[in-house]
Amino acid sequence: MTTVSWNCGAEGETDDEGIRKLRVRQQRNFLTTLFVSQGTPMLLGGDERSRTQDGNNNCWCQDSELSWYDWSEDPDAS
């Protein structure tokens, strides 16, 4: 099975402001597409705040910061 993904040219977190802005714009585009589609919109807790699992697709078996949710306010959140 082939996974198709695109990370805007940088793997993981980056200090490049252009890449960060592009990722935020893509996030808004995907959320807009979800909300205007037919059916019930379903979000994973944290999708609206750019929560990441660093590429791990099964964090249920992890008891570490990878699967924990940080409830503190993110100063970079827009």
Side-chain angles (χ1 to χ4, degrees):
M1 183 173 151
T2 302
T3 302
V4 179
S5 65
W6 183 58
N7 57 15
C8 304
E11 190 66 36
E13 295 186 27
T14 181
D15 292 330
D16 186 330
E17 192 63 30
I19 291 175
R20 293 175 71 184
K21 285 182 179 181
L22 178 58
R23 288 178 179 175
V24 169
R25 189 174 75 220
Q26 283 185 319
Q27 179 183 1
R28 279 192 241 118
N29 290 343
F30 289 132
L31 285 172
T32 300
T33 301
L34 176 67
F35 289 138
V36 300
S37 62
Q38 290 184 331
T40 305
M42 308 220 19
L43 286 174
L44 173 68
D47 282 345
E48 71 284 0
R49 295 186 63 195
S50 302
R51 179 175 173 258
T52 181
Q53 296 177 340
D54 294 326
N56 187 332
N57 65 349
N58 184 9
C59 285
W60 288 102
C61 59
Q62 302 289 324
D63 186 17
S64 65
E65 291 181 9
L66 193 61
S67 62
W68 299 339
Y69 189 82
D70 182 12
W71 291 96
S72 63
E73 187 63 38
D74 183 7
D76 294 330
S78 50

